[in-house]
Amino acid sequence: MTATTLAGLTGAALIGLGLYGVLVNVHALRKILAFNLIGSGVFLVFGLVARRGAVAGFAADPVPQAMVITGIVVAFSATALAIGLLLRLHERRVEDAAAESDNRSDNKSDKT
Amino acid sequence: MTALNPASLWLLAMLVVPLAVLAFAVARPGRFGTALLVAAPLPGLVAALLALGGEPMAVTFPVLRLSLALDRPGAILLGAAALLWSLAAIVLPSFLEGDRHARRFVVCWLLTLIGSLGVFAAADLVGFYLVYALVSVPAYGLVAHDETAASDRAGGVYLAFALLGEALLLMGFVLLAAGEPAGSLRIADVMAALPRSPWAGTAVALTAAGFALKMALVPAHGWMPLTYTAAPIPAAAVLSGAAVKAGVIGLIRFLPFDLAGSGEILVVFGLCSAFYGVAVGVTQLNPKTVLAYSSISQMGVLATVLGMGLAAGDVGVRLDAAFYGAHHVLAKGALFLAVGVALSSTAGRSTSFLLLVAIVGLGLGGLPFTGGALAKLAVKDGLGKGPVGMLAVASSVGTSLLMTHFVWTLTRLAETGAERRVPRRLWVAAAAAAIVFPWLLAMILGGEVASLLQPAILFASAWPVALGVVLWLGLVRVRGLLPAVPPGDIVGAMERLFRASYGIADGFAWLDDKLRQWAVAGVALLAVTVALLVAL
Amino acid sequence: MPLATSPAGYLLVLAIVLPVSGMVLSFVLGGRHAERIALATAPFGLAIAIAIAAEVLKTGQPITYIVGGWSPPLGIALRADGFSAVMLVTSALVLPAAMLYARAYFATPATLREKRAPFAFWTLMQGLSAALAVVFTGGDLFTLYVALELLTFAAVPLVCLDGRAETLEAALRYLLFALLGSILYLLGVGLIYGRFGVLDIALLAERTRALDGDTRALLVAGALMTAGLAAKTALFPLHLWLPPAHANAPAPASAVLSALVVKGSFFLAVRLWFDVMPTLASTAAMTVLGALGCGAILFGSVMALRQERLKLLIAYSTVAQIGYLFLVFPLASGAGAWTAVGWTGGIMQVLAHALAKSGMFLAAGLVAEAVGHDRISGLRGVGRSMPVTLLAFGLGGVSLMGLPPSGGFLAKWWLLLASVQSGQWAWCLVVLAGGLLAGGYVFRVVAPAIAGEPLVLAKPVARGREVVALLLALGAIALGVAPDGLLELIRIGRGG
């Protein structure tokens, strides 16, 4: 079992665990974290593609490394967007719940 | 556009003039001259007369991929239809007076008119489908005009059958187009390629089925009684007279008469419709419903004629069927106008009125000296002397029976008042057209009219009519024993079946609910991946 | 396909750079300038798209542009074939129309320097325009990944611009499922690179054609990428995010989402199976895609029949129409005389749906604004008070039903013809059933709308906005009389 094969299996395992997490978890934050886990697995696979594509003199093929960098940026922005939406959703839910209980207490006071 | 001779310009005008009137009606809400509505079909009438006179007429629109051409059967039907549309439009001013939905009615009227006239001249598949859609779909606005529960139901049923027929037709046309190796969509080319096409049988079956739905052949007849009862009089007149003939011209164009084929199926359905229409029609009390069942019966006779022609490989049956259809256009339209006269004034009770109605109606059964007799004679040879021929004579008896019943229902009609008046003169003009037009047509077509006035032929036409009247006189005594059949008969069962299928939609909704849960969707994603992997 | 820059290649760069610079400028200048910049650049975008289409038609070849003079495999190529060109023109028509319509929704009030929702809307629309340009012209798989993500990130916030909890939820669900799809796509890209060492589509096409031996990595990659793209296109059964997202977004956003955004990922799926790996597209796999498409048609149409809200009905109708798109896979792949017909039918369906659906969503938005709600049961008589709007909706419906003359009819005709000629009869039944069901749900809305008394409107609507919706719907009808030049254009550079 070479290092490359081990890396590949790890990557696959990360992807698998991440998929499981995305599918099974109910809370959005956990889904986002699981998505990042998948992302890490995919980047690991890219890394090993780079290693396998190494030509004379280089330790690894630079193109997949460039792709990983881009991928990390994209995944980061995706996570940021998702967290932003999640935070705003949470705030909004709190506001809505407060407004509703205000309404209910108003209605109660109307009745008395 | 290819170079046009003056005659072909009339063909072009046939479509362009109603379009112009439509634009005018839409742009200028309020009163627009109904003279325009009467004039709109007239270019079509001129085109038909020119074509009958032997002028070659063809128009091709390169951009729209639409081509028009008029042959004799098409011209005959076109002339009759254009005349009826024009006559019926005379009634519209009084009908639409003070109607909030007048503009909607006029728009639907004009769209259906364009389709109805165009369908007799369309010469390529896509163009034919276009005008066929125009004659079928906007008619919903005419049927459901009154916005009562009955008219909404009638409109819905009508549209369901129309769209189903169009779906069948589309599939048939695609098969016809697929069988044409050069990719041409012209009807002439497509029919010529039919013998060598691997899908010939299915193509003809599907197109015939689509047109059969339009002609309300049993068992797809349920929409007709509902529709013609619910539609206002002028709409019912043009729909039963002219619009239904789109199915007839379809069969004339798309049945491969030059190859003797299995027309027996068409004959069976036709004869069933012919007798079924009479049988159920005598149980009805509303004159409009009786007329609808009469249409079902008459379309059945036409189908029988075409079926016998197909079985025998007789190309001339096209002209005979067109001739018969043209008489029906005018006769049925006139009879609906008669109902309008009866509804709007006490003149509907007078003996002279009822006598004229009887003459036109019995003409459908073949009363001597009327145009109907000529129509019956035209198709007699095609039906032959065998069992089909005898059944056809029996159906003449049935038609006469039904028409006598119709006159009787008119006498029992409660007058609804004089607001929507059909002028008596218009009715007389329409009746005269129905009686006289076929004779004129026969003379134009070069037939020897005088020879048809021999006593033997007159007697052969007369006895079925007389028998029909006598049978009715007997039937009226046992009126109470007749079952009360709701108009549309089996449509009620079809509607119940349709509503029962709503459960399937509930099943879909349940499935959607499940699929839209995150975990299920995620698993579905993985399943799709695996399925693709296995399939690759 | 040549690996050198065509004479008109600069047009491709312009098509991308224009909206990108507009977006950046909007972000910098902020406030109401974003709206002005977006509207000012729109006509130029249309001119560039038409120029690209004209050039492709004239030369009969795809246009290529090698970015920075660096040839693939190390550099990036931009390529526009017939399909790209017609998609560019369509998006250059739909986006400005939606923007003109949206001026009333997203105007910055005179008293404020900047407001959140309008600023976000105008900037994001330009971002969407840029992303679509890259999707349609990108020439290698990784650029397309970036473009795909750009498309998602520009589209997701459009869903929740009004800031309500339910739209935020819909947007979050959309984002997460879309991200799942794109990460699967990325994994596939990695596997392909691992196998071949190149990402450029033209080079990959050569190598897969010359391939013999081990194809396992490619098959896994193909399956992953297709599934991921199907998730982003909301193909049944992966449609969970589409109805809430498209129905609850503001009308101009819904129009653009249904008409263009879902077509972006579909475009990539077509590129994958018709340009990158045509020889590996097994009949079974294409049939699987076609079968899922059939499921979408039947399922989406039946669900649309059941909806109470107008915008949800239109959204489920989108689910159904996407199913027609996927019929292009079994009908245009492989070798056979019918594939050209199937291809033309599929592409025509994309165009007709884009125009018809955007018109319908804009019309529905007008109705919702004018009446105050979009419950179908409460819309009796709306056609009599808003005839132009109902006409737009009705004409869009005519195209969806496949009645002539419309682009939808031609698409249906060609798909049926291809099915018959290839002997794949099953698709015929579903296409016809889909047309009947579409007739059902269009009738459900139109029939009560033209009956009864004119509905009393809570708010009148501007005639100009009605006309915009009507023009889009008329575009779908106009496709029905498409000149042969358009059909020729669609077939240029057809892969396989």
Side-chain angles (χ1 to χ4, degrees), chain B residues 9-21 36-49 51 57 59 61 66-89 108-124 127-136 138 142 187 214 238-239 241-247 249-250 253 329-330 437:
Chain B
L9 278 175
W10 284 104
L11 208 54
L12 187 58
M14 173 180 82
L15 293 182
V16 167
V17 167
L19 269 175
V21 175
L36 288 175
L37 288 173
V38 174
L42 292 179
L45 184 55
V46 175
L49 290 172
M57 308 175 89
V59 178
F61 299 88
L66 174 68
S67 51
L68 300 171
L70 211 45
D71 59 359
R72 281 185 138 189
I76 294 172
L77 286 169
L78 176 62
L83 187 58
L84 179 60
W85 276 99
S86 202
L87 285 172
C108 292
W109 177 277
L110 285 165
L111 286 173
T112 314
L113 168 66
I114 295 172
S116 171
L117 297 183
V119 86
F120 299 120
D124 68 292
F128 188 95
Y129 195 78
L130 168 59
V131 283
Y132 194 84
L134 274 178
V135 79
S136 305
L142 299 176
I187 296 181
K214 182 79 182 163
V238 289
L239 285 178
V244 166
K245 303 305 176 296
I249 192 72
R253 293 242 190 282
V329 169
L330 294 168
F437 180 82

Side-chain angles (χ1 to χ4, degrees), chain C residues 4-28:
Chain C
T5 304
S6 322
Y10 67 93
L11 285 172
L12 301 180
V13 176
L14 273 181
I16 300 172
V17 164
L18 182 66
V20 167
S21 25
M23 181 171 72
V24 170
L25 211 56
S26 304
F27 194 73
V28 164

Side-chain angles (χ1 to χ4, degrees), chain B residues 110-290:
Chain B
L110 285 165
L111 286 173
T112 314
L113 168 66
I114 295 172
S116 171
L117 297 183
V119 86
F120 299 120
D124 68 292
L125 287 177
V126 173
F128 188 95
Y129 195 78
L130 168 59
V131 283
Y132 194 84
L134 274 178
V135 79
S136 305
V137 174
Y140 172 81
L142 299 176
V143 173
H145 177 75
D146 290 338
E147 288 181 19
T148 59
S151 67
D152 282 344
R153 176 188 175 214
V157 171
Y158 168 77
L159 205 55
F161 274 93
L163 290 178
L164 184 59
E166 285 194 21
L168 289 172
L169 208 58
L170 180 62
M171 197 62 226
F173 279 8
V174 167
L175 285 170
L176 285 174
E180 218 287 352
S184 162
L185 290 176
R186 296 189 73 96
I187 296 181
D189 296 337
V190 155
M191 295 305 289
L194 207 52
R196 291 178 302 278
S197 159
W199 305 287
T202 327
V204 172
L206 284 171
T207 46
F211 292 125
L213 258 95
K214 182 79 182 163
M215 286 168 62
L217 291 182
V218 162
H221 64 285
W223 59 272
M224 202 174 250
L226 290 176
T227 305
Y228 296 168
T229 315
I233 291 286
V238 289
L239 285 178
S240 69
V244 166
K245 303 305 176 296
V248 174
I249 192 72
L251 285 179
I252 289 177
R253 293 242 190 282
F254 289 100
L255 284 179
F257 290 105
D258 43 359
L259 325 160
S262 51
E264 291 83 7
I265 307 172
L266 201 52
V267 170
V268 167
F269 277 111
L271 286 172
C272 287
S273 305
F275 290 109
Y276 187 85
V278 171
V280 181
V282 287
T283 66
Q284 301 300 316
L285 294 173
N286 184 336
K288 292 166 84 179
T289 319
V290 174

Side-chain angles (χ1 to χ4, degrees), chain C residues 402-438:
Chain C
L403 287 179
S406 66
F409 168 74
L410 282 184
K412 222 168 151 192
W413 176 273
W414 281 320
L415 288 174
L416 285 172
L417 197 55
S419 306
V420 165
Q421 288 175 332
S422 62
Q424 303 172 41
W425 290 85
W427 313 134
C428 293
L429 288 170
V430 178
V431 168
L432 291 173
L436 285 174
L437 290 169

Side-chain angles (χ1 to χ4, degrees), chain B residues 467-486:
Chain B
L467 184 56
V469 174
V470 163
L471 281 176
W472 181 81
L473 288 171
L475 194 65
V476 76
R477 298 201 198 297
V478 296
R479 266 223 64 77
L481 294 178
L482 288 173
V485 179

Side-chain angles (χ1 to χ4, degrees), chain C residues 380-404:
Chain C
R380 190 175 172 85
V382 76
R384 304 203 55 219
S385 22
M386 303 170 70
V388 179
T389 311
L390 191 75
L391 184 62
F393 187 89
L395 287 178
V398 162
S399 182
L400 291 188
M401 286 162 66
L403 287 179

Side-chain angles (χ1 to χ4, degrees), chain B residues 17-36:
Chain B
V17 167
L19 269 175
V21 175
L22 179 61
F24 189 67
V26 167
R28 293 253 306 248
R31 275 201 58 82
F32 38 80
T34 42
L36 288 175

